[in-house]
Amino acid sequence: MLTLKALRENTEEVVKKLAKKGYDAKADVDQILGLDDLRKKIQVELDSNLAEQKKKAAEIGALMKQGMKEAAEQAKADVAALKEKSAELAVKAEENIKELEAKLVLLPNTPCDLVPEGRTAEDNVVVKQGGVIPDLGADALPHWELAKKFDLIDFDLGVKITGAGFPVYKGKGAKLQRALINFFLDCNTSAGYLEVEPPVMVNEASGFGTGQLPDKEGQMYHATLDNFYMVPTAEVPVTNIFRDVILQEKQLPQMMTAYTPCFRREAGSYGKDVRGLNRLHQFDKVEIVRIEKPEDSYAALDQMVAHVEGIVQKLGLPYRILRLCGGDMSFTSAITYDFELYSTAQQRWLEISSVSNFESYQTNRLKCRYKDADGKIQLCHSLNGSSLALPRVVAALLENCQKDGKIIIPEVLRPYTGFDVIE
């Protein structure tokens, strides 16, 4: 969440930046600052009351020694009244803080200056495009037909076992999944990311820490008895490793990677865009997460974008990189780059990765901090990216690599799959 310091010192700038996300924040920011003013006022009154209480309590003993029993009794009555008043003020202070925090967490993160203006995906800016879109002709099959033809993925069986959006991978389809996961993890660990295997269920505090709660309850699968949530992305458990942690400056950056299955309800999804692997409720994804000093986070973002691009280039698939406009960004992000692969049979671009800098928005919620060279405690910056999400990678790979009735496996994957072709 945004810091009160940023809201107070840069009020007009914050309101202006949030307008880029399509959020009119003026009234909310004014209300938050008003609640903060009230908090300070209550705290001053409480501190004064406690000081007077302490002073009166000290007077009682002296008055008793001097034989001034009546004055001592009055002082005791004054102390009792002050204690009652302090208790009332403490309740007011707690209620005020709860209301203030409840308002504060509803403010989105401010986009950085690099974020383009715009309201929808149509306004996103293509910053780079690479690879060659193959000319497969009118006979090119979409990935769901290829999956059925080669018995790689059974969507109907997934419906039987669970429901729509839970496919069953079979034979070479299952091996291709495993190959991609291992390939992505090896690329990440070779680049210096520490591999971790986190839980795939998180508690409410973890969901709040990375900004999924209270923003995305409707998209998350919730085990109500235990109040646990199935992870929508490995970003949540991995970033929460650093919740309530104070790092030393020499410990930064922290770089981690993880594979998890991911679970999203995708409420409201329908139509041709959800067919096959286009949009699932359970899918595999490899994630990278970085915790950085604020002054280093944008250089780290550039490194992450280049790293993800390098993985895509190794696969030899046609891709493009977009810088998202303000209106198409997530609630928590300060800037996001999306990677897309081209689906030759569907003739559309498929998102396979988002790489984002959250600046201090998540770390303020997480209380993820570091001690700088001067011994001052500072908020870290957090970043994360998909490297990569598997379903649409598989979709694009099957479609782009179909040739002469076969699927030609990209050369870089062959040591992982153990086969060169699907036929």
Side-chain angles (χ1 to χ4, degrees):
M1 59 188 174
L2 299 176
T3 64
L4 283 168
K5 185 173 184 285
L7 287 179
R8 190 165 291 283
E9 293 180 357
N10 306 290
T11 306
E12 290 185 10
E13 183 181 358
V14 168
V15 171
K16 182 179 178 182
K17 284 187 173 183
L18 288 178
K20 189 184 278 190
K21 279 191 170 182
Y23 189 90
D24 185 358
K26 182 66 169 65
D28 290 338
V29 170
D30 287 346
Q31 187 176 16
I32 289 167
L33 294 178
L35 286 167
D36 190 43
D37 289 336
L38 179 60
R39 177 190 64 82
K40 293 176 181 177
K41 183 180 177 182
I42 294 172
Q43 191 61 51
V44 168
E45 189 175 354
L46 180 58
D47 290 344
S48 175
N49 192 280
L50 291 171
E52 183 66 18
Q53 185 179 312
K54 185 176 180 181
K55 179 183 174 184
K56 287 281 186 183
E59 288 176 357
I60 294 172
L63 290 170
M64 292 293 287
K65 284 182 181 180
Q66 296 171 25
M68 302 174 68
K69 187 175 180 181
E70 189 173 325
E73 290 300 321
Q74 181 58 52
K76 287 180 182 179
D78 291 343
V79 168
L82 287 166
K83 282 184 177 179
E84 187 176 342
K85 181 64 175 176
S86 291
E88 291 175 3
L89 288 169
V91 169
K92 281 186 178 180
E94 185 177 355
E95 290 174 348
N96 169 268
I97 289 171
K98 285 182 179 178
E99 185 178 1
L100 176 59
E101 289 182 347
K103 296 288 184 184
L104 195 54
V105 299
L106 295 179
L107 283 182
N109 196 5
T110 50
C112 80
D113 293 337
L114 292 171
V115 172
E117 298 280 353
R119 287 289 173 265
T120 69
E122 300 299 319
D123 300 313
N124 295 335
V125 176
V126 177
V127 295
K128 190 172 183 181
Q129 189 162 330
V132 177
I133 297 174
D135 182 9
L136 300 177
D139 294 332
L141 297 177
H143 68 271
W144 54 85
E145 291 187 21
L146 292 167
K148 186 174 183 178
K149 175 181 177 181
F150 295 108
D151 198 23
L152 304 174
I153 307 168
D154 195 324
F155 296 100
D156 294 333
L157 185 55
V159 172
K160 173 187 173 181
I161 296 170
T162 307
F166 295 88
V168 175
Y169 298 86
K170 301 165 64 179
K172 287 187 175 181
K175 287 185 177 181
L176 180 59
Q177 284 283 111
R178 182 154 45 92
L180 284 165
I181 291 166
N182 288 335
F183 170 62
F184 295 156
L185 285 171
D186 284 352
C187 287
N188 295 343
T189 55
S190 294
Y193 290 88
L194 174 69
E195 183 179 349
V196 295
E197 186 176 336
V200 296
M201 299 186 81
V202 294
N203 56 31
E204 193 170 356
S206 293
F208 174 82
T210 46
Q212 277 68 31
L213 299 174
D215 180 49
K216 295 184 176 66
E217 297 96 328
Q219 293 293 324
M220 297 173 73
Y221 285 99
H222 187 195
T224 55
L225 185 62
D226 303 290
N227 199 26
F228 291 158
Y229 293 85
M230 302 300 293
V231 297
T233 165
E235 166 202 348
V236 181
V238 175
T239 311
N240 269 277
I241 289 172
F242 302 98
R243 174 155 48 93
D244 298 322
V245 170
I246 298 177
L247 298 162
Q248 298 299 315
E249 187 172 2
K250 65 183 180 182
Q251 292 178 284
L252 294 173
Q254 291 285 327
M255 301 166 57
M256 292 188 174
T257 184
Y259 152 70
T260 65
C262 303
F263 304 87
R264 298 181 189 177
R265 297 187 67 199
E266 299 288 5
S269 299
Y270 60 92
K272 63 181 176 62
D273 290 349
V274 304
R275 193 162 184 189
L277 296 171
N278 287 345
R279 195 172 294 274
L280 302 176
H281 296 305
Q282 178 182 330
F283 60 94
D284 293 322
K285 183 155 70 76
V286 176
E287 194 81 0
I288 50 175
V289 170
R290 292 178 70 144
I291 306 295
E292 296 276 351
K293 290 193 294 183
E295 60 266 32
D296 296 337
S297 71
Y298 275 88
L301 177 67
D302 291 342
Q303 291 169 18
M304 292 170 73
V305 170
H307 173 68
V308 172
E309 183 182 12
I311 297 175
V312 175
Q313 287 173 337
K314 288 176 183 178
L315 291 173
L317 300 174
Y319 71 94
R320 68 179 187 180
I321 307 172
L322 298 88
R323 186 184 297 132
L324 300 192
C325 69
D328 199 34
M329 289 170 59
S330 74
F331 184 86
T332 52
S333 174
I335 184 170
T336 295
Y337 290 92
D338 270 6
F339 282 75
E340 297 180 336
L341 294 179
Y342 191 71
S343 164
T344 52
Q346 299 178 79
Q347 297 185 337
R348 56 190 290 259
W349 290 95
L350 305 175
E351 180 195 332
I352 57 161
S353 173
S354 289
V355 182
S356 301
N357 188 348
F358 303 97
E359 297 184 353
S360 62
Y361 191 87
Q362 288 182 334
T363 55
N364 189 30
R365 288 173 172 240
L366 293 160
K367 300 295 181 285
C368 171
R369 297 159 289 175
Y370 76 101
K371 185 180 289 187
D372 66 18
D374 298 324
K376 187 177 179 181
I377 304 298
Q378 309 267 15
L379 284 172
C380 300
H381 278 192
S382 66
L383 306 92
N384 80 267
S386 312
S387 64
L388 299 161
L390 269 74
R392 294 170 190 163
V393 171
V394 172
L397 188 153
L398 294 178
E399 293 183 12
N400 284 285
C401 296
Q402 58 182 305
K403 184 178 181 181
D404 299 328
K406 305 174 184 178
I407 306 295
I408 310 301
I409 299 299
E411 189 172 339
V412 73
L413 288 179
R414 293 174 188 175
Y416 294 89
T417 58
F419 53 86
D420 299 353
V421 66
I422 299 172
E423 56 183 337

